[in-house]
Amino acid sequence: SWSVTAKEINKDFFADAGFVTRNGMACITGMFKPKFYPKSEFVRRIETEFFSAQTYDLYYNMWETLDHVVLQSFMGRYSTLRIKYAYSTEIFLGERFLTGGLSVLASSQVTKRIYLAALYRRINAIYYSDAPYQGYSNKLTLNVNYKPTENLHIDLSYIYNDLFRTKDRNWVYDYPITRGRITYQINKYLFLRAVTEYNGYKNTLLTDFLASFTYIPGTVVYLGYGSLYEKAQWDGDEYVADDRFLEMTRGFFFKCSYLFRH
């Protein structure tokens, strides 16, 4: 398969009824994706992809590029291995920065009840500020989906991002987020959901509980409760850092709707 596209969004274009991620640019892209079907019981299909996008920034009259090569294999048990290398640049405040790198994605339906996926990226990155600079970043995403029964679903995820300054390799920040969600479908009308999320950068813990009753589509009742915890304590004048979690915010949520048919 192949495709060629071209578009331009001028500097004065704004969408009041929607959202445009970027205006003041013109772009032409080309993609070629040959596919191979080896005679193997292990590898079902192999796809390669060659993609190139050349973008002209109308604000700064500068070019940026996105070029990548992908090798992806499809195997049994809905397993996938995808390797991608990209060379790309981005214009920010009149400067051209590198943004490309290497990414590896692996996923598999290990059993009928367990699904695993992992994505790792080592890419160049930009520190977005009034004084931007070139950096590089490691990005990791892990996902586990477990269905012990048809009515119970457990989802676990871990996301990690960091940033280093390229010039001196100094660490700037890391941002890990761990999230868990449990959904229990009691019957075709009622389900319960509990979510917890720990933000390692902000040292906050979010808990959320939701009960939902759906009689028919459009006739629904929601009941929820959530809390936000921070590692802090009150010293009499202000909140200061602490090793224990303190509930800082709590909220109650109720919503109902009824569908009239005539």
Side-chain angles (χ1 to χ4, degrees), residues 206-250:
L206 174 69
T207 60
D208 182 50
F209 174 80
L210 176 68
S212 173
F213 177 80
T214 304
Y215 182 65
I216 59 174
T219 299
V220 187
V221 177
Y222 295 106
L223 181 66
Y225 178 83
S227 298
L228 179 66
Y229 299 84
E230 296 183 12
K231 287 187 175 181
Q233 67 172 350
W234 181 257
D235 66 355
D237 296 321
E238 60 181 353
Y239 287 103
V240 296
D242 191 68
D243 294 332
R244 296 176 297 177
F245 282 107
L246 177 66
E247 187 180 33
M248 306 293 288
T249 305
R250 67 169 69 105

Side-chain angles (χ1 to χ4, degrees), residues 3-5 27-33 48-54 65-70 84-87:
S3 66
V4 176
T5 65
C27 181
I28 182 170
T29 70
M31 186 271 294
F32 176 60
K33 182 187 291 187
T48 56
E49 179 178 311
F50 304 90
F51 177 85
S52 179
Q54 309 304 317
T65 185
L66 169 59
D67 309 292
H68 71 236
V69 178
V70 175
K84 172 183 175 181
Y85 179 78
Y87 173 80

Side-chain angles (χ1 to χ4, degrees), residues 91-227:
I91 307 300
F92 182 68
L93 295 183
E95 295 185 59
R96 183 182 291 108
F97 296 92
L98 296 173
T99 56
L102 178 69
S103 64
V104 179
L105 169 66
S107 63
S108 177
Q109 188 72 46
V110 181
T111 68
K112 293 199 312 185
R113 303 190 182 278
I114 301 176
Y115 172 81
L116 303 176
L119 171 64
Y120 173 73
R121 301 176 66 197
R122 174 63 180 265
I123 61 174
N124 294 296
I126 306 171
Y127 184 79
Y128 295 98
S129 69
D130 293 335
Y133 54 81
Q134 182 69 64
Y136 62 91
S137 174
N138 296 284
K139 300 178 180 290
L140 176 65
T141 302
L142 303 175
N143 290 290
V144 180
N145 305 116
Y146 178 48
K147 298 180 180 180
T149 67
E150 291 298 324
N151 296 338
L152 181 62
H153 294 179
I154 301 174
D155 301 304
L156 302 174
S157 66
Y158 176 76
I159 300 174
Y160 175 86
N161 291 318
D162 63 23
L163 181 67
F164 292 83
R165 185 197 295 264
T166 300
K167 183 178 181 180
D168 50 22
R169 296 184 179 272
N170 282 343
W171 171 82
V172 181
Y173 66 79
D174 56 13
Y175 206 115
I177 296 178
T178 305
R179 180 181 176 89
R181 183 178 65 180
I182 299 177
T183 305
Y184 182 53
Q185 189 77 39
I186 298 176
N187 52 48
K188 66 178 182 178
Y189 301 110
L190 179 65
F191 82 82
L192 306 176
R193 187 186 69 192
V195 176
T196 180
E197 179 181 290
Y198 175 66
N199 188 314
Y201 179 80
K202 297 181 179 180
N203 283 325
T204 59
L205 178 66
L206 174 69
T207 60
D208 182 50
F209 174 80
L210 176 68
S212 173
F213 177 80
T214 304
Y215 182 65
I216 59 174
T219 299
V220 187
V221 177
Y222 295 106
L223 181 66
Y225 178 83
S227 298

